Amino acid sequence: MEKLIKYISIIIAIIMSYFIIGNAENFEVTVTNDVVTTETQTIVVTAENKTGNFIGDPKVMAVEKKIDGQWVEISGRPEDNAISTKYPPLSTYSEKIPLWLYNIEGIGEYRARIHFDLYLPIYDKNDTEPHDVYAYFNVVEAEKA
């Protein structure tokens, strides 16, 4: 019964998304790893699409490190041939970030910049609006055995 209610909610949200303007601030991305250490190989970022509309093609575009109080890009997105994906309202986005690929070295404060397109209502001729959100995480020293 709980699954049926969830599916009905998703269908209603999808129908409504064709007529309402979504709120990009409701796509809040988080890092699901409990602890990220200097030996962590991969982190996972996730978010539920609570924007009220479809979002398109979310992906990690860069990783930044806080250096002397300023966010500095340490690595951009490597080239790939990823296919474009649309996420309906209430669906979940998830992406693995291999830390070695983004040159993450050493302890410190980091954030992954995730870019996505917010689809506009069917009556809007612009189709999408680009947005960026950030997933914050700290890298700590790995415990020695």
Side-chain angles (χ1 to χ4, degrees):
M1 185 65 166
E2 190 175 306
K3 275 189 172 184
L4 178 63
I5 292 171
K6 182 175 180 173
Y7 287 125
I8 290 171
S9 298
I10 290 172
I11 290 169
I12 291 170
I14 289 171
I15 292 169
M16 289 177 56
S17 73
Y18 286 106
F19 302 103
I20 62 172
I21 296 174
N23 184 352
E25 293 177 10
N26 290 336
F27 189 66
E28 297 176 11
V29 186
T30 59
V31 174
T32 60
N33 300 58
D34 290 332
V35 177
V36 181
T37 72
T38 51
E39 294 180 2
T40 301
Q41 299 294 310
T42 304
I43 63 172
V44 178
V45 294
T46 62
E48 186 175 0
N49 180 8
K50 295 180 180 179
T51 63
N53 217 326
F54 281 82
I55 61 167
D57 215 16
K59 56 177 77 138
V60 176
M61 297 304 289
V63 173
E64 301 171 352
K65 183 175 184 179
K66 196 172 216 179
I67 301 173
D68 296 329
Q70 301 289 334
W71 288 106
V72 178
E73 184 174 312
I74 58 172
S75 182
R77 182 173 182 83
E79 282 200 33
D80 67 353
N81 295 323
I83 59 172
S84 184
T85 306
K86 274 187 182 181
Y87 290 84
L90 305 178
S91 64
T92 301
Y93 153 77
S94 180
E95 184 172 354
K96 292 181 181 179
I97 302 174
L99 297 183
W100 61 270
L101 194 59
Y102 287 92
N103 301 322
I104 295 174
E105 297 176 356
I107 61 173
E109 291 181 68
Y110 293 86
R111 69 183 185 180
R113 180 170 48 93
I114 291 89
H115 178 83
F116 69 96
D117 293 320
L118 177 65
Y119 281 79
L120 299 172
I122 193 169
Y123 56 82
D124 192 316
K125 306 254 188 274
N126 293 327
D127 196 35
T128 64
E129 286 182 351
H131 292 278
D132 289 330
V133 292
Y134 295 92
Y136 295 86
F137 61 99
N138 290 312
V139 175
V140 297
E141 190 68 43
E143 292 183 20
K144 304 292 181 196

Coordinates of all heavy atoms in Angstrom, one line a residue, residues 82-116:
A82 N 28.6 10.6 -21.5 CA 27.4 10.3 -20.7 C 26.1 10.7 -21.5 O 26.1 11.7 -22.1 CB 27.4 11.0 -19.3
I83 N 25.1 9.9 -21.4 CA 23.9 10.2 -22.0 C 23.1 11.1 -21.2 O 23.2 11.2 -20.0 CB 23.1 8.9 -22.3 CG1 22.8 8.1 -21.0 CG2 23.8 8.0 -23.3 CD1 21.8 7.0 -21.2
S84 N 22.3 11.9 -21.8 CA 21.4 12.9 -21.1 C 20.3 12.2 -20.4 O 19.7 11.3 -20.9 CB 20.9 13.9 -22.1 OG 20.1 14.9 -21.4
T85 N 20.0 12.6 -19.1 CA 19.0 11.9 -18.3 C 18.1 12.9 -17.7 O 18.6 14.0 -17.2 CB 19.7 11.1 -17.2 OG1 20.7 10.3 -17.7 CG2 18.7 10.3 -16.4
K86 N 16.8 12.7 -17.7 CA 15.8 13.5 -17.1 C 15.4 12.8 -15.8 O 15.1 11.6 -15.8 CB 14.6 13.7 -18.0 CG 14.7 14.8 -18.9 CD 13.3 15.0 -19.6 CE 13.3 16.1 -20.7 NZ 12.0 16.2 -21.3
Y87 N 15.2 13.6 -14.7 CA 14.7 13.1 -13.5 C 13.4 13.7 -13.1 O 13.3 14.9 -13.0 CB 15.7 13.3 -12.3 CG 17.0 12.5 -12.4 CD1 18.0 13.0 -13.2 CD2 17.1 11.4 -11.7 CE1 19.2 12.2 -13.3 CE2 18.3 10.6 -11.8 CZ 19.3 11.1 -12.6 OH 20.5 10.3 -12.7
P88 N 12.3 12.9 -13.0 CA 11.0 13.5 -12.7 C 11.0 14.0 -11.3 O 11.8 13.6 -10.4 CB 10.0 12.4 -13.0 CG 10.8 11.1 -12.8 CD 12.2 11.5 -13.2
P89 N 9.9 14.7 -10.9 CA 9.8 15.1 -9.5 C 9.8 13.9 -8.6 O 9.2 12.9 -8.9 CB 8.5 15.9 -9.5 CG 8.3 16.3 -10.9 CD 8.9 15.3 -11.7
L90 N 10.4 14.1 -7.4 CA 10.4 13.0 -6.4 C 11.3 11.9 -6.7 O 11.4 10.9 -5.9 CB 9.0 12.5 -6.0 CG 8.0 13.6 -5.5 CD1 6.7 13.1 -5.2 CD2 8.6 14.4 -4.3
S91 N 12.1 11.9 -7.8 CA 13.0 10.8 -8.1 C 14.4 11.2 -7.4 O 14.6 12.3 -7.0 CB 13.2 10.6 -9.6 OG 13.7 11.8 -10.2
T92 N 15.3 10.2 -7.4 CA 16.5 10.4 -6.7 C 17.7 10.3 -7.7 O 17.8 9.4 -8.5 CB 16.7 9.3 -5.6 OG1 15.7 9.4 -4.7 CG2 18.0 9.5 -4.9
Y93 N 18.6 11.3 -7.6 CA 19.8 11.4 -8.4 C 20.9 10.9 -7.5 O 21.0 11.2 -6.3 CB 20.1 12.9 -8.8 CG 21.5 13.2 -9.0 CD1 22.2 12.8 -10.2 CD2 22.2 13.9 -8.1 CE1 23.5 13.1 -10.4 CE2 23.5 14.3 -8.3 CZ 24.2 13.9 -9.4 OH 25.5 14.2 -9.6
S94 N 21.8 10.1 -8.1 CA 23.0 9.6 -7.4 C 24.2 9.5 -8.3 O 24.0 9.1 -9.5 CB 22.7 8.3 -6.7 OG 23.8 7.8 -6.0
E95 N 25.4 10.0 -7.9 CA 26.6 9.9 -8.7 C 27.8 9.5 -7.8 O 27.9 10.1 -6.8 CB 26.8 11.2 -9.5 CG 27.9 11.1 -10.5 CD 28.1 12.3 -11.4 OE1 27.2 13.2 -11.4 OE2 29.1 12.3 -12.1
K96 N 28.6 8.6 -8.3 CA 29.8 8.3 -7.6 C 30.9 9.2 -8.1 O 31.0 9.5 -9.3 CB 30.2 6.8 -7.9 CG 29.3 5.8 -7.3 CD 29.8 4.4 -7.5 CE 28.8 3.4 -6.9 NZ 29.2 2.1 -7.2
I97 N 31.7 9.7 -7.2 CA 32.9 10.5 -7.6 C 34.2 9.8 -7.2 O 34.5 9.7 -6.0 CB 32.8 11.9 -6.8 CG1 31.5 12.6 -7.1 CG2 34.0 12.8 -7.2 CD1 31.3 13.9 -6.4
P98 N 34.9 9.3 -8.2 CA 36.2 8.8 -7.8 C 37.2 9.9 -7.5 O 37.5 10.7 -8.3 CB 36.6 8.0 -9.1 CG 35.8 8.6 -10.2 CD 34.6 9.3 -9.6
L99 N 37.6 9.9 -6.2 CA 38.4 11.0 -5.7 C 39.7 11.2 -6.5 O 40.2 12.3 -6.7 CB 38.7 10.9 -4.2 CG 37.4 10.9 -3.4 CD1 37.8 10.8 -1.9 CD2 36.6 12.1 -3.6
W100 N 40.4 10.1 -6.9 CA 41.6 10.2 -7.6 C 41.5 11.0 -8.9 O 42.3 11.7 -9.4 CB 42.3 8.9 -7.8 CG 41.4 7.9 -8.6 CD1 40.4 7.1 -8.2 CD2 41.4 7.8 -10.1 NE1 39.8 6.5 -9.2 CE2 40.4 6.9 -10.4 CE3 42.1 8.4 -11.1 CZ2 40.1 6.5 -11.7 CZ3 41.8 8.1 -12.4 CH2 40.8 7.1 -12.7
L101 N 40.3 10.8 -9.5 CA 40.0 11.4 -10.8 C 39.9 13.0 -10.7 O 40.2 13.7 -11.7 CB 38.7 10.8 -11.4 CG 38.4 11.1 -12.9 CD1 39.6 10.5 -13.8 CD2 37.1 10.4 -13.3
Y102 N 39.6 13.4 -9.6 CA 39.4 14.9 -9.4 C 40.6 15.5 -8.6 O 40.4 16.6 -8.0 CB 38.1 15.2 -8.7 CG 36.9 15.0 -9.6 CD1 36.2 13.7 -9.7 CD2 36.4 16.0 -10.4 CE1 35.2 13.6 -10.5 CE2 35.4 15.8 -11.3 CZ 34.7 14.6 -11.3 OH 33.7 14.4 -12.2
N103 N 41.7 14.8 -8.5 CA 42.9 15.3 -7.8 C 42.7 15.7 -6.4 O 43.2 16.7 -5.9 CB 43.5 16.5 -8.6 CG 43.8 16.1 -10.0 OD1 44.3 15.0 -10.3 ND2 43.6 16.9 -11.0
I104 N 41.8 15.0 -5.7 CA 41.6 15.3 -4.2 C 42.7 14.6 -3.4 O 42.9 13.4 -3.4 CB 40.2 14.8 -3.8 CG1 39.2 15.6 -4.6 CG2 40.1 15.0 -2.3 CD1 37.8 15.2 -4.3
E105 N 43.5 15.5 -2.8 CA 44.7 15.0 -2.1 C 44.7 15.8 -0.7 O 44.6 17.0 -0.7 CB 46.0 15.2 -2.8 CG 46.1 14.5 -4.1 CD 47.4 14.8 -4.9 OE1 48.1 15.7 -4.4 OE2 47.6 14.2 -5.9
G106 N 44.9 15.1 0.3 CA 45.1 15.7 1.6 C 43.8 16.1 2.3 O 42.7 16.1 1.7
I107 N 44.0 16.5 3.6 CA 42.9 16.9 4.4 C 42.4 18.3 4.0 O 43.1 19.0 3.4 CB 43.2 16.8 5.9 CG1 44.3 17.7 6.2 CG2 43.6 15.4 6.3 CD1 44.6 17.8 7.7
G108 N 41.1 18.6 4.3 CA 40.6 19.9 4.1 C 39.1 19.9 3.8 O 38.5 18.8 3.8
E109 N 38.6 21.1 3.5 CA 37.2 21.2 3.1 C 37.1 21.2 1.6 O 37.8 22.0 0.9 CB 36.7 22.6 3.7 CG 36.5 22.7 5.2 CD 35.9 24.0 5.6 OE1 34.8 24.3 5.3 OE2 36.7 24.8 6.2
Y110 N 36.1 20.5 1.1 CA 35.9 20.4 -0.3 C 34.4 20.5 -0.6 O 33.6 20.4 0.2 CB 36.4 19.0 -0.8 CG 37.8 18.7 -0.8 CD1 38.4 18.2 0.4 CD2 38.7 19.0 -1.8 CE1 39.8 18.0 0.5 CE2 40.0 18.7 -1.8 CZ 40.6 18.2 -0.6 OH 41.9 18.0 -0.6
R111 N 34.2 20.8 -1.9 CA 32.8 20.8 -2.4 C 32.8 20.4 -3.8 O 33.7 20.7 -4.6 CB 32.1 22.1 -2.2 CG 32.6 23.3 -3.0 CD 31.9 24.5 -2.7 NE 32.3 25.6 -3.6 CZ 31.8 26.8 -3.6 NH1 30.9 27.2 -2.6 NH2 32.2 27.8 -4.4
A112 N 31.8 19.6 -4.2 CA 31.6 19.2 -5.6 C 30.5 20.1 -6.2 O 29.4 20.3 -5.6 CB 31.1 17.7 -5.6
R113 N 30.8 20.7 -7.3 CA 29.8 21.5 -8.0 C 29.0 20.6 -9.0 O 29.5 20.1 -9.9 CB 30.5 22.7 -8.8 CG 29.5 23.6 -9.5 CD 30.1 24.8 -10.0 NE 31.3 24.6 -10.8 CZ 31.3 24.5 -12.1 NH1 30.2 24.5 -12.8 NH2 32.5 24.3 -12.7
I114 N 27.7 20.6 -8.7 CA 26.8 19.8 -9.6 C 26.0 20.7 -10.4 O 25.3 21.6 -9.9 CB 25.9 18.8 -8.7 CG1 26.7 17.7 -8.1 CG2 24.9 18.2 -9.6 CD1 27.3 18.0 -6.8
H115 N 26.0 20.5 -11.7 CA 25.2 21.3 -12.6 C 24.0 20.5 -13.1 O 24.1 19.3 -13.3 CB 26.1 21.7 -13.8 CG 25.4 22.5 -14.8 ND1 25.2 23.9 -14.7 CD2 24.7 22.2 -16.0 CE1 24.5 24.3 -15.8 NE2 24.2 23.3 -16.5
F116 N 22.9 21.2 -13.2 CA 21.7 20.6 -13.7 C 20.8 21.6 -14.4 O 21.0 22.8 -14.2 CB 20.9 19.9 -12.6 CG 20.2 20.8 -11.6 CD1 18.9 21.1 -11.8 CD2 20.9 21.3 -10.6 CE1 18.3 22.0 -10.9 CE2 20.3 22.1 -9.6 CZ 19.0 22.5 -9.8

